[in-house]
Structures are given as structure tokens and as C-alpha cells.
Amino acid sequence: MKVKTENGRRDMRALWFEAGKLTMIDQRSLPHQLRTVDYETCDEVAAAIKDMVTRGAPSIGAAAAYGICLAALKGEDLEDAAARMKAARPTANDLFYAVDHMMDRLAAGDDPVQAAEGYTDSIIEKCRMIGEHGGRIIQDGFRIMTHCNAGALATVDHGTALAPIRQAFQDGKSIFVYASETRPRLQGAQLTAWELNQEDIPHSIIVDGASGHFLRQGVDMVIVGADRIVANGDFANKIGTYEKAVLAKELGIPFYVAAPVSTFDFEMARGEDIPIEERSEEEVTVVAGNLITPSGSKALNPAFDYTPARYVTAFITELGLLKPEDISRLRRD
Ligand code: MRU
């Protein structure tokens, strides 16, 4: 992704490995401060994923790959390290996919750093291809709604939902993005808006409850990312995705889900089976350090919801556009 500096713009990834350390942009500090944090052990990386220093399914996967790499370099028991890493967060399939991929590569005798770099480079390339395929379906003048952050921060580079948007903008198309703020962690307001700002892509932040209002006023397409897409085409994404999908269908607006094949869980049959992460009450009740709710009131905070396949117009993947019914063929291939 491009990041604005005093001398113009420079390329930056959400995370990278250098001199035995994994460096991550601390996504909790954005949009006000662009700072990085270094990690030298597998357990530190697992804690950073849990604390959402980095987040978004493909970035979680890449961070986990480097975490396993660090465990291997330090001679740790790899089965134990893999189990601890997989316990960091429950919903994003990429975490499990990346750890299993690393375990296979290490068992085959691959160099740990090369294996983790190879995994991350392949994710970046897949996201670039998602941008190419998805960019073609965005027409000049389109108003596009997205939710949460499925940009470069969430995928190391390019993005999933934001990759087609970036591509269309680079191709000179006039587009406008509605970024819903994504309570309670505000990934839309803080991270998607930051990324769009860095590249001067026209956008406005809207509160989550305004989605229906703007969808009815005239949105041409919705594009979101995914944390897990299961065998029947149901998928989990950030809480609040389901209602946008239902409204889009009601209003006849195409609803696209952009994700690499590493996000597909072919073993899981239905959306109901996807484990949904429950996060702390404080994420809901405390805003900028202040309790905003009555002290006796409890809060519920599911981080994701699942959307049935019937609401999906198509999945935008590195292989091109897929319909939910194509997933069984993809699994066979
Ligand atoms: O809780 P988060 O911020 O990790 O949730 C992220 C999302 O829900 C994204 O939309 C999803 O991972 C797709 S990112 C390419």
C-alpha cells in the first residue's frame, strides 16, 4: 500500500520480517500514529494477534506463519507452538491454514524463513489478482459500500475488498466508497478510512446504522472481505455484514465477497458451524477510556456474524469470480 510521507508516498506492508524479527504496523494506533512493533518469539506473535496489533484474516495468517518460523529458529517444540498459535483467535480460517502450511513445509525440510516469506508473498500475489479480477466489475461512476477493514492492513498488501477498489481507482475510474465505521473496534472508521486517505480515494465514513439509508439512496455494489467461507458458500465476516447482505438483496444491489482461497474452509459444512469470537464487554461499554453505559448494564460483543450463501452474488478470488455452487468443484481441484 502507499503511505503518505513528507516527501510524497512510499510503499509499506502491514508486516515484514527482517534480521530475525517480525515487524508489524500497530493497527491499534492508527489513524493518528503510524508506529511499528517488533516481535522475536512465537508467543509474542500469538499475543499480538490476540491483542489485534495486526488483524484481518490474511494478515493474521502471515503473522502466524512468521510466528511458527520464529519457533523453528529457536528450536521450540513445533507441535506445541502450532497449538498455541492456533488458539490466538478462533474465526479466521487463514490462521489455521497458515500454521498447517508452515508445519508441512518444515516437515519437508524447508528453511523456516523462506517458508514464511514464500507464504506471505503468495498471499500478497493472490490479493493483487483479486484486485485485477474485481477491478473489472467496478464501472466508472460506481458508489461502493464496504465494511470493516479488508485492505492492505488486513492482508499484508493490496487488500481483498479494497484491492478491486484500488485497482479501479488506479485505472482512472471515478468511484466513491462508503466505509461503515464498524463498532466497536472501528476498523472501518480508523483503518479503511486511513488507507483510502493515503491514496486519496474519495470516500465517506458512515455509522453502521446508516447502511440501509445509503444502500437505498443508491449504492451500486457492496464488497466485503471474509474470515471464513465454508463448503456451502456461507461465510463469516465482521459483525454487521449479515444485515448489509440481506438489505443488498432486498434492494437488488450486487453483494461481493473478496477473499483468497486460504480463507475457504472446505471441511466445514455450514455457516452455523463457524466459531464466532466473543470479545470483551469493555470494547462496547468503554469509549476512549470512558465508561459510556450504566455501570450495571452488561454488553454482548460477538466479533463476527455469518451470512448465508444465497445473499452472495459472487466470491472474488485469485482464481476469478466464483459462485457459491462452484466451491465443491474448487475443493475437488
Ligand atoms: O476482527 P478483525 O479486525 O480481525 O476482523 C477482520 C474482518 O472481519 C475482515 O473483514 C476480514 O478478516 C477480511 S480481511 C481481508
Side-chain angles (χ1 to χ4, degrees):
M1 77 186 128
K2 299 283 181 211
V3 173
K4 284 179 181 167
T5 67
E6 283 169 7
N7 311 315
R9 287 192 176 93
R10 72 178 171 104
D11 285 314
M12 197 168 184
R13 291 180 175 185
L15 52 89
W16 61 93
F17 193 80
E18 211 172 318
K21 290 181 196 156
L22 177 61
T23 303
M24 294 179 191
I25 294 181
D26 186 346
Q27 300 191 26
R28 301 165 308 177
S29 304
L30 290 171
H32 300 302
Q33 202 191 355
L34 178 56
R35 67 185 281 267
T36 59
V37 200
D38 294 340
Y39 299 100
E40 294 185 41
T41 69
C42 178
D43 285 339
E44 285 174 0
V45 174
I49 293 172
K50 204 179 177 84
D51 294 344
M52 297 179 68
V53 176
T54 200
R55 29 64 50 208
S59 280
I60 291 173
Y66 285 118
I68 298 300
C69 158
L70 285 167
L73 293 176
K74 292 190 188 307
E76 289 180 31
D77 181 309
L78 288 179
E79 293 292 339
D80 277 2
R84 293 196 305 277
M85 185 58 80
K86 285 183 175 183
R89 289 189 76 188
T91 305
N93 193 61
D94 299 61
L95 172 63
F96 309 100
Y97 181 91
V99 171
D100 290 344
H101 173 87
M102 282 299 289
M103 294 298 276
D104 287 349
R105 295 320 319 150
L106 295 176
D110 286 8
D111 172 73
V113 178
Q114 277 180 13
E117 295 280 43
Y119 180 81
T120 304
D121 287 348
S122 82
I123 289 296
I124 292 171
E125 174 58 13
K126 285 169 185 166
C127 288
R128 195 192 60 74
M129 290 167 74
I130 287 171
E132 272 191 13
H133 295 303
R136 288 192 203 110
I137 55 176
I138 298 178
Q139 294 172 27
D140 192 34
F142 261 26
R143 289 150 300 172
I144 305 155
M145 185 176 286
T146 189
H147 186 52
C148 193
N149 172 260
L153 291 165
T155 67
V156 189
D157 207 354
H158 304 296
T160 50
L162 288 197
I165 290 172
R166 285 198 154 91
Q167 186 65 52
F169 184 71
Q170 282 162 23
D171 291 344
K173 294 175 189 165
S174 161
I175 56 169
F176 186 85
V177 181
Y178 295 96
S180 47
E181 63 174 348
T182 321
R183 272 275 288 159
R185 299 282 306 206
L186 302 176
Q187 291 95 328
Q190 298 187 325
L191 306 179
T192 295
W194 181 78
E195 287 193 37
L196 295 172
N197 230 298
Q198 297 302 308
E199 297 184 21
D200 293 326
I201 299 175
H203 66 281
S204 283
I205 299 155
I206 60 169
V207 299
D208 295 325
S211 299
H213 172 80
F214 286 106
L215 284 167
R216 194 166 49 195
Q217 274 200 356
V219 165
D220 298 290
M221 69 195 300
V222 180
I223 314 182
V224 296
D227 288 85
R228 194 184 296 226
I229 301 164
V230 298
N232 71 349
D234 295 352
F235 73 100
N237 192 47
K238 181 53 58 190
I239 191 78
T241 300
Y242 173 44
E243 61 218 44
K244 284 187 176 56
V246 174
L247 275 169
K249 194 170 179 87
E250 161 74 14
L251 295 163
I253 299 167
F255 185 93
Y256 291 95
V257 180
V261 172
S262 55
T263 303
F264 286 75
D265 180 350
F266 299 107
E267 305 305 320
M268 193 168 275
R270 311 165 313 160
E272 293 95 304
D273 301 331
I274 301 174
I276 299 293
E277 179 179 9
E278 286 285 341
R279 294 189 65 89
S280 75
E281 286 186 59
E282 287 71 30
E283 287 187 351
V284 178
T285 59
V286 177
V287 172
N290 298 311
L291 183 70
I292 57 154
T293 54
S295 56
S297 295
K298 308 287 284 174
L300 298 169
N301 187 16
F304 303 97
D305 56 27
Y306 93 85
T307 298
R310 64 179 176 279
Y311 295 107
V312 178
T313 304
F315 295 103
I316 309 171
T317 74
E318 67 269 31
L319 306 173
L321 266 60
L322 301 175
K323 294 280 184 191
E325 53 273 24
D326 295 331
I327 294 177
S328 48
R329 179 181 51 80
L330 188 65
R331 178 188 197 168
R332 280 199 306 277
D333 293 348

